[in-house]
Amino acid sequence: MNVLHTLPVQTPGKGLSCLEGIRVIDFTTSVAGPYGTLLLADLGADVIKVERPPAGDDTRGWGPPFLNGESLWFASMNRNKRSITIDLSRPEGRVLAHELTAQADVVVLNTGVRVQEKLGLDFATLGALNPRLIHVSVTGFGLQGAGADLPCYDLIAEGYSGVMHLTGEADRPPQKVGTPAADLLSGQDIAMATLAALVERNRSGKGKQVDVSMVATMTRFMSPRIVSYLGSGDSPNRSGGTDSVIAIYQVFDTANFPITLGLGNDAIWRRFWAAVGLPEYGEQPDLDTNAKRRLARASIVEAIAKLLVEQPRQHWLALFAQHRIPSGPINSIDQLAQDEVLRDNGLLFAAEGDAGLVPQVGLGIRFGGVDTVLRTPPPTLGQDTEQVLRETLRRSPAQIAGLVASGIV
């Protein structure tokens, strides 16, 4: 089945207007930076994506899978942006970059200070051209300190931060999260920090340098585990997700498919046992608090596991939904894509691109009941170069032709 053609086609429109009037110049590539600017674009910002000729953003080459010759990874994080190609290694290209940033509110880069200075895109240089500019950098270890010049990818940040050490089964090797968690969380930090800096600029009238570190982002992501260790001295290890501070909070097998089950407070604990027909188990005084249940976790897990394998998944999910007990399926991606709740909410849709339909995952945040974000599908490489040169940088047709002929754009 061609899943793409089962998605509702969303017609481009005005989208959200929260950041209408804010211009972002995006010099980033790969995932963290482009995801951060995608969030800003979805909120209404005008994002001009600056790509290097002739290949563009690294993710344009990430595949297979490709769709109509375009990378689906690229398509996942670049809608609502305009693409312009500029050769920043040449002085003429840097002039164009400076003119763009002089008219911008925000600039986002994923290079360290040395490269920024080499290209004339560092905070000091751009801040002198535009004192109101929010200058955002996302790197592996931040712009300062011993790791400032070290390269980094999502994999490195996940391993460095302890996430991989705690992910997976106890008797198996460390495991990466199944999506680029460090990239996506860092992208969220880009958007969050940019919004905070814009609010401050409204008061001060001055720009700000923002320094996002992927390793720092992922370390903060680990805060509950780190603080627990710092306060107790107990260092956690991989457990397959069975060592939560909440008892009970893990995966259980049923007669056919596994489910997740979270008995997160005393009331839910009692409701669970009442729902399965054993209310007396839930009323035991020696199990009436989470702390007591943690001490008896092994025996409780054994009792629940023995019970749940007697019926199929759908039986338990329907019963637990009726009794407001947190539980759910463990969806594969193909199952998730068919989920009625997500489809009804419009989170999964298709956009009509130049070469055909392009699948998209929406923002999923509603403003006044509205979460429709699509203004433009992901751009082809450099498709807006002439428009930006003509309308934003006020270049004449002859000047544009000269830039194209010389390979600057």
Side-chain angles (χ1 to χ4, degrees):
M1 179 178 67
N2 190 326
V3 182
L4 173 59
H5 289 87
T6 70
L7 296 174
V9 178
Q10 192 172 115
T11 303
K14 180 178 175 56
L16 297 174
S17 58
C18 305
L19 295 180
E20 188 174 6
I22 298 296
R23 176 169 291 165
V24 179
I25 310 301
D26 179 8
F27 291 98
T28 67
T29 184
S30 297
V31 178
Y35 186 67
T37 57
L38 168 68
L39 297 175
L40 298 173
D42 277 359
L43 292 172
D46 172 23
V47 176
I48 298 177
K49 183 178 181 67
V50 178
E51 302 188 68
R52 63 181 181 277
D57 188 319
D58 287 348
T59 56
R60 288 189 183 275
W62 288 8
F66 295 100
L67 179 66
N68 299 319
E70 297 287 344
S71 165
L72 287 163
W73 274 71
F74 178 87
S76 72
M77 63 198 74
N78 284 289
R79 66 169 169 262
N80 293 339
K81 303 178 186 179
R82 295 188 283 167
S83 171
I84 176 173
T85 55
I86 301 179
D87 186 350
L88 297 174
S89 69
R90 299 169 65 174
E92 300 92 334
R94 293 195 288 275
V95 168
L96 297 176
H98 284 173
E99 290 186 33
L100 282 174
T101 56
Q103 301 179 43
D105 298 280
V106 182
V107 62
V108 186
L109 306 106
N110 63 340
T111 51
V113 171
R114 287 200 303 172
V115 174
Q116 291 180 15
E117 291 176 343
K118 179 181 178 181
L119 298 177
L121 298 177
D122 55 292
F123 177 63
T125 300
L126 297 185
L129 295 171
N130 182 355
R132 291 175 51 83
L133 185 69
I134 309 299
H135 185 282
V136 185
S137 300
V138 57
T139 60
F141 299 87
L143 297 178
Q144 302 176 354
D149 290 327
L150 294 176
C152 187
Y153 278 115
D154 174 88
L155 174 69
I156 284 76
E158 286 194 37
Y160 198 104
S161 64
V163 169
M164 288 177 63
H165 177 71
L166 294 184
T167 302
E169 299 294 331
D171 58 350
R172 302 291 294 170
Q175 187 173 323
K176 186 192 175 304
V177 177
T179 192
D183 280 327
L184 299 178
L185 289 169
S186 298
Q188 291 184 354
D189 276 359
I190 289 170
M192 176 182 69
T194 298
L195 296 177
L198 286 169
V199 170
E200 184 184 43
R201 191 186 70 176
N202 286 342
R203 296 194 302 266
S204 69
K206 298 178 181 179
K208 177 76 70 174
Q209 184 181 40
V210 176
D211 180 2
V212 175
S213 156
M214 291 171 64
V215 168
T217 291
M218 288 307 282
T219 301
R220 190 181 74 247
F221 181 63
M222 294 291 288
S223 292
R225 289 307 187 95
I226 294 171
V227 171
S228 294
Y229 162 70
L230 294 175
S232 69
D234 296 330
S235 182
N237 289 297
R238 284 185 302 286
S239 71
T242 62
D243 68 337
S244 170
V245 70
I246 300 172
I248 299 298
Y249 194 82
Q250 64 182 70
V251 174
F252 287 94
D253 287 326
T254 69
N256 53 2
F257 303 110
I259 64 170
T260 54
L261 180 66
L263 308 183
N265 61 40
D266 298 339
I268 294 173
W269 165 259
R270 291 190 296 271
R271 287 205 306 271
F272 170 81
W273 289 106
V276 300
L278 297 170
E280 66 279 1
Y281 196 109
E283 297 295 341
Q284 295 178 75
D286 57 344
L287 298 177
D288 63 359
T289 68
N290 186 73
K292 293 177 182 178
R293 293 193 289 274
R294 284 199 67 188
L295 294 176
R297 189 200 300 269
S299 63
I300 296 172
V301 168
E302 183 180 359
I304 294 176
K306 183 178 180 180
L307 176 70
L308 295 186
V309 294
E310 295 179 355
Q311 296 288 343
R313 176 174 72 180
Q314 199 51 46
H315 168 85
W316 294 120
L317 292 182
L319 179 69
F320 296 156
Q322 178 184 349
H323 290 270
R324 296 181 298 110
I325 296 164
S327 62
I330 300 176
N331 284 323
S332 61
I333 296 300
D334 59 316
Q335 291 170 332
L336 183 69
Q338 300 296 335
D339 185 79
E340 291 182 6
V341 173
L342 298 184
R343 288 197 171 216
D344 288 347
N345 288 339
L347 190 61
L348 307 178
F349 64 93
E352 190 71 59
D354 289 345
L357 294 178
V358 183
Q360 294 286 279
V361 177
L363 182 63
I365 303 171
R366 289 195 169 99
F367 294 81
V370 177
D371 65 350
T372 303
V373 297
L374 182 66
R375 300 196 308 276
T376 59
T380 57
L381 179 60
Q383 74 171 34
D384 304 292
T385 299
E386 182 177 342
Q387 179 198 43
V388 172
L389 290 173
R390 182 181 68 253
E391 297 180 2
T392 306
L393 300 184
R394 304 298 181 186
R395 293 299 194 271
S396 68
Q399 290 173 317
I400 295 173
L403 290 168
V404 172
S406 63
I408 303 299
V409 300

